[in-house]
Amino acid sequence: MSGHTSRRAFAVLAALLLTVLMGATCAGPTGAAPDAGGAAAVDTGLLLAVLVPPVILVSLAWLAYVFRLLFRDPPEGPSTRKR
C-alpha cells in the first residue's frame, strides 16, 4: 500500500510542478510593454523545454508498464482461475 501512496504523491507533486512552470512560462516577462502583444510574451523554446521532458517520461513509463504486463512470467503454483 505504501508504494501506491508514494507513487500517487509523486504524481501529484509532478503535476503541481508542471502547472507552476507552465504558469510561469506562459505569463511572459514581467516588464513587457503593454502594447507588445500576447504572442511576444511567450517564449516557445522555454515552453517546449518545460513540456517535452514530462511527456517523454510519462510515455516511457506507460510503455514500461505495458511491456511488464505483456512479458511477465506466469505465477507459480496452481491456477486460481475457473474455466
Side-chain angles (χ1 to χ4, degrees):
M1 188 71 176
S2 176
H4 293 290
T5 305
S6 64
R7 278 188 234 144
R8 186 174 295 147
F10 179 72
V12 169
L13 181 64
L16 179 65
L17 181 63
L18 182 61
T19 305
V20 167
L21 288 174
M22 282 298 302
T25 301
C26 294
T30 55
D35 59 344
V42 177
D43 184 14
T44 308
L46 182 60
L47 187 64
L48 285 174
V50 169
L51 283 178
V52 170
V55 170
I56 290 174
L57 289 176
V58 168
S59 63
L60 288 175
W62 178 250
L63 280 174
Y65 175 70
V66 168
F67 278 109
R68 193 184 111 221
L69 287 178
L70 289 175
F71 298 114
R72 69 179 175 184
D73 291 332
E76 298 292 327
S79 175
T80 58
R81 187 170 30 160
K82 294 182 180 179
R83 295 182 187 200

